[in-house]
Amino acid sequence: MSENVVQRLRDEIENGIISNDFAPGARLDEVQLATRFGVSRTPVREALMQLNAIGLVEIRPRRGAVVIDPGPHRIFEMFEVMAELEGLAGSLAARRFTDADRTTILAAHADCERSFSAGNSDAYYYDNERFHKAIYAASHSGFLAEQCVALHRRLQPYRRLQLRVRNRVATSFAEHGAIVEAILAGDAEQARTLLRQHVSIQGERFSDLVATLASR
Amino acid sequence: MSENVVQRLRDEIENGIISNDFAPGARLDEVQLATRFGVSRTPVREALMQLNAIGLVEIRPRRGAVVIDPGPHRIFEMFEVMAELEGLAGSLAARRFTDADRTTILAAHADCERSFSAGNSDAYYYDNERFHKAIYAASHSGFLAEQCVALHRRLQPYRRLQLRVRNRVATSFAEHGAIVEAILAGDAEQARTLLRQHVSIQGERFSDLVATLASR
DNA sequence: GTCAACATTCTTGCATACAAGATTTATCAT
DNA sequence: ATGATAAATCTTGTATGCAAGAATGTTGAC
């Protein structure tokens, strides 16, 4: 199944945080997690250390680990950086994409269209992720792709909230269309600009985010 | 002395990697490190887990930890991302800098000038770091600043190599001047462009890097 | 009834122990 | 002498144990 216990624990706990099973600010008790996953405290601690290094968990000396709660402002900052990285990925993709990349991007885009037309916003969420990953891959920068995936993952819960906003799926899909066009046309600067705008949460979208966060 | 043993170990080992005491590809033996630092294996393992999560160390199941060796191509990719993040920091700084930020930036720039005039490239290296950190701070994005500092740190050894190249210090300082001008003039786009160019290693600078790497 | 000081309990931090997989070494056959 | 196989050794992965600091509960004074 999995490589080893620690990696599995790391993923499980990380997923728990991402999916809000472990809410921001929640204490992560070592023995509790250990019994829950049927292991001893040692691998749990090692997993928590990793999450600490990534910035998902804070470890206060002698007082245990808690899930980090990035306030609205920090979430905004994270989207800001994400927008920049996606923009870079787009511009590189426009210059470097191969035939295989084009196929993958178009396939993901087509799936988005299907989910959008079906009004299935959960499916759209999944396809949207594939679409963006296709662009990371087309950038042909392994490091950039890793950074993007990691940040994308951390922002997942908030992105999900965003899609609930009325008409957001329609807008998102329309933006995807323009992005695909720019990339396949090889227009790096246009791809960069469009992706940056697509990802960043400016103006009222930020207000929406804050409002949705508050009402949890 | 320090908060706890694990954090101290993490820093010590990380410094060892950055400063090339632990060369890329080197095996990091747990008991060896434990005895060296006078602790047991447990905190050593926890520190290694953290470094693994950051991407400095690879842990192969049942076969121990080794220092990751990012080949020239990946180093280039890392500089590419760094350039983008610095560009963002510059553009934000141009829009958001306060009086205190201006003072800090100008002070760091002045120190760079002193070290450059004195022909002291080691001192310049240190002042250069302060200069860039001043810009991160002026961006007023905590998350961006953290990302920049982390990546800056990982690229430290290669940046150091770069400065050895003939005339690189002079060029660097001249670029700094233009960057300061753009930021203080509030010209976000100009600041972004200049910083991006300043950081990225295009063309012959990449060849220089590869050559220097090979001759280690 | 409330607050504070003290004792108890709980949790973390690190060390040690033990088992299982990997590596090295030694022996034997060809 | 070389290659393969097996034994011994070494290393990692996980569990457990113990001590010290934090959290909690209790008792007593006002």
Side-chain angles (χ1 to χ4, degrees):
Chain A
M1 193 82 178
S2 77
E3 308 273 354
N4 56 18
V5 178
V6 174
Q7 291 306 315
R8 185 174 63 88
L9 286 176
R10 198 187 77 88
D11 291 344
E12 295 256 24
I13 300 173
E14 185 175 351
N15 284 333
I17 295 175
I18 300 291
S19 67
N20 215 37
D21 278 350
F22 301 116
R27 246 182 104 255
L28 296 169
D29 188 82
E30 293 179 2
V31 289
Q32 204 170 304
L33 291 169
T35 54
R36 172 169 175 170
F37 293 113
V39 296
S40 87
R41 278 177 49 221
T42 310
V44 171
R45 282 182 59 81
E46 290 178 354
L48 289 177
M49 289 291 177
Q50 295 208 34
L51 296 174
N52 174 57
I54 298 176
L56 271 174
V57 157
E58 182 191 352
I59 294 185
R60 302 161 306 175
R62 289 264 169 210
R63 299 183 61 216
V66 296
V67 180
I68 281 196
D69 180 11
H73 188 252
R74 170 154 282 242
I75 293 171
F76 173 75
E77 292 176 353
M78 291 166 78
F79 271 104
E80 204 167 45
V81 170
M82 181 92 241
E84 207 64 23
L85 293 181
E86 294 251 3
L88 175 59
S91 87
L92 293 179
R95 302 204 318 243
R96 301 178 181 167
F97 74 92
T98 65
D99 283 354
D101 293 326
R102 175 182 19 228
T103 307
T104 314
I105 291 174
L106 285 175
H109 186 52
D111 288 346
C112 283
E113 177 161 35
R114 197 167 311 136
S115 302
F116 160 58
S117 303
N120 188 341
S121 92
D122 281 342
Y124 184 84
Y125 179 83
Y126 174 75
D127 292 327
N128 174 65
E129 185 170 330
R130 274 197 28 212
F131 177 74
H132 282 271
K133 283 190 179 163
I135 295 175
Y136 307 156
S139 78
H140 290 272
S141 170
F143 182 73
L144 175 61
E146 283 171 21
Q147 297 289 113
C148 284
V149 168
L151 194 46
H152 192 101
R153 190 170 162 71
R154 280 187 69 175
L155 291 173
Q156 189 169 313
Y158 315 108
R159 204 184 294 268
R160 189 159 239 148
L161 288 178
Q162 287 241 296
L163 280 183
R164 301 256 170 76
V165 174
R166 204 167 59 84
N167 273 343
R168 179 62 198 142
V169 173
T171 316
S172 170
F173 178 69
E175 289 169 358
H176 280 198
I179 289 165
V180 171
E181 210 171 317
I183 291 178
L184 296 188
D187 189 340
E189 278 320 301
Q190 178 72 353
R192 179 198 296 273
T193 306
L194 291 176
L195 261 165
R196 195 148 60 194
Q197 286 169 358
H198 176 62
V199 172
S200 79
I201 46 174
Q202 301 287 354
E204 46 187 43
R205 278 171 68 188
F206 181 60
S207 325
D208 291 345
L209 174 69
V210 175
T212 327
L213 279 176
S215 71
R216 272 204 310 204
Chain B
M1 199 77 176
S2 78
E3 306 278 352
N4 57 17
V5 179
V6 174
Q7 290 306 316
R8 185 173 63 88
L9 286 176
R10 199 188 77 88
D11 291 345
E12 294 255 23
I13 301 173
E14 184 175 352
N15 283 333
I17 295 174
I18 302 289
S19 67
N20 216 37
D21 276 353
F22 301 116
R27 238 177 114 258
L28 296 170
D29 189 80
E30 292 179 4
V31 289
Q32 204 169 304
L33 290 168
T35 53
R36 171 170 173 170
F37 292 114
V39 295
S40 88
R41 276 177 51 223
T42 310
V44 171
R45 281 182 60 82
E46 290 177 353
L48 289 177
M49 289 291 179
Q50 295 210 34
L51 296 174
N52 174 57
I54 300 177
L56 270 174
V57 157
E58 183 190 350
I59 294 184
R60 303 162 305 176
R62 290 263 170 210
R63 299 182 61 215
V66 295
V67 180
I68 281 197
D69 181 9
H73 187 253
R74 171 155 281 244
I75 292 171
F76 173 77
E77 291 176 354
M78 291 166 75
F79 271 104
E80 206 167 43
V81 171
M82 180 93 240
E84 208 62 25
L85 293 181
E86 294 249 3
L88 175 59
S91 86
L92 293 179
R95 302 204 318 244
R96 302 178 181 168
F97 74 91
T98 65
D99 284 352
D101 292 327
R102 181 192 2 241
T103 307
T104 314
I105 291 173
L106 285 175
H109 186 51
D111 287 347
C112 283
E113 176 161 36
R114 198 167 311 136
S115 301
F116 161 57
S117 303
N120 187 342
S121 93
D122 280 343
Y124 184 84
Y125 179 82
Y126 174 74
D127 294 325
N128 174 65
E129 187 170 328
R130 273 199 25 213
F131 176 75
H132 282 271
K133 284 190 179 164
I135 294 176
Y136 306 157
S139 79
H140 289 273
S141 170
F143 182 72
L144 175 61
E146 282 171 22
Q147 296 291 111
C148 284
V149 168
L151 194 45
H152 191 102
R153 188 171 165 72
R154 279 186 70 176
L155 290 173
Q156 188 168 314
Y158 315 108
R159 204 184 291 268
R160 189 159 238 147
L161 289 177
Q162 286 240 299
L163 280 182
R164 300 256 169 77
V165 174
R166 204 166 58 82
N167 274 341
R168 179 62 196 142
V169 172
T171 316
S172 169
F173 178 69
E175 289 170 358
H176 281 197
I179 289 165
V180 170
E181 211 172 315
I183 291 178
L184 297 188
D187 189 341
E189 278 319 301
Q190 178 70 355
R192 180 199 295 272
T193 306
L194 291 176
L195 260 164
R196 195 148 61 193
Q197 286 170 358
H198 176 61
V199 172
S200 79
I201 45 174
Q202 302 287 355
E204 46 187 43
R205 278 170 68 189
F206 181 61
S207 324
D208 291 345
L209 174 69
V210 175
T212 328
L213 279 176
S215 70
R216 272 202 313 205

